[in-house]
Amino acid sequence: THIGSGNYNPSTAKQYGDISFFTVDRDIGRDIGELFNAITSFFGPRDYSRILVAPLTLKSELLRKIRREADNRRAGRQAGIAMKANGLVDPDIIAELYRASQAGVAIELSIRGLCCLRPGIPGVSENIRVTSVIDRFLEHSRIYYFENAGRPEMYIGSSDMMPRNLKVRVEVLCPVLDPDLMRSIKEHILDIHLRDNVKAKLLLPTGEYVPQTPEEGGERLRSQQWFVENRGVWNGRG
C-alpha cells in the first residue's frame, strides 16, 4: 500500500514537497481496501482499524489526541504536539489546541497558508508557536505528531485542519507504525521545518508574520535547501 500527501501528477511533482511511504501492514492494506470500496459505492462494512478517514473519524480522533496530550500534561506525563499542514481553520481544532496550551502542552505548528489560530496570547496560547515556510517548492506534506506519554504517535496524509477537509472531502491520515521510521521523519523532516530560520516567518499574536533570522553567531537553516543537500538521510542511505 502506498500512502502519501501528494497527487499522482508529473507536473506538480516537480514543484511540490510531499511525503509518502510504502507499507505491507495488513491492517492498513485492509483499511485502504475498505476506503476504495466506499468511494466506489461497493457494499460492505466501513470499519477502519488504523487509518483516520474524513468525514467519519478524522476530526474526532484529532480532537481526542489533542485532549489526551492535555490530560497527560496535567498528570505530569510526557506531552507535546507538532503539526505540519497547509491550513488551520477549523474552530473546534483551534479551541482544543488553545485548551492544550493552557494545560501547559508545548505545541509547534508549521502552517504554510491560512492560520486562524493566534499564538502567544497570555493565558490562552502562550505555549503555541506557529511558523510558515514559503520557498522554492510548495510545501504540501502533512505530518501530525503526538508525544503520547512517551509512546509517540505520528500520522501523515492529505488532510489539513479545515472544514472542507474534515467535513466535505474524503481525506485520510495514516499512522507511521515503525518506530525508527517515525523517529527519522520527526528528526529529519518535521523538526527541520520547525527550525527553519531563513525562509520561515513567525506568526505573532497580532496576526502579523515576521521573518525568522538566526541568532547572532547561530547556524543558518533553510529547510528546503537542507533537504536537497541531505536527500536520502531519512532512509539511511546518506
Side-chain angles (χ1 to χ4, degrees), residues 128-180:
I128 304 178
R129 179 177 179 269
V130 180
T131 56
S132 171
V133 174
I134 306 294
D135 202 349
R136 172 185 171 187
F137 302 106
L138 185 143
E139 288 297 343
H140 200 246
S141 60
R142 285 84 165 185
I143 307 172
Y144 297 84
Y145 178 84
F146 305 91
E147 282 290 350
N148 189 28
R151 300 182 301 278
E153 290 184 349
M154 175 182 286
Y155 289 80
I156 70 166
S158 63
S159 182
D160 291 312
M161 293 169 283
M162 305 175 71
R164 71 181 186 186
N165 303 101
L166 301 173
K167 298 180 180 179
V168 179
R169 298 177 177 175
V170 176
E171 302 266 7
V172 172
L173 291 180
C174 182
V176 179
L177 300 175
D178 182 272
D180 292 333

Side-chain angles (χ1 to χ4, degrees), residues 2-19:
H2 178 237
I3 300 289
S5 60
N7 308 310
Y8 292 106
N9 185 316
S11 177
T12 59
K14 299 176 182 178
Q15 308 168 37
Y16 288 15
D18 278 297
I19 184 172

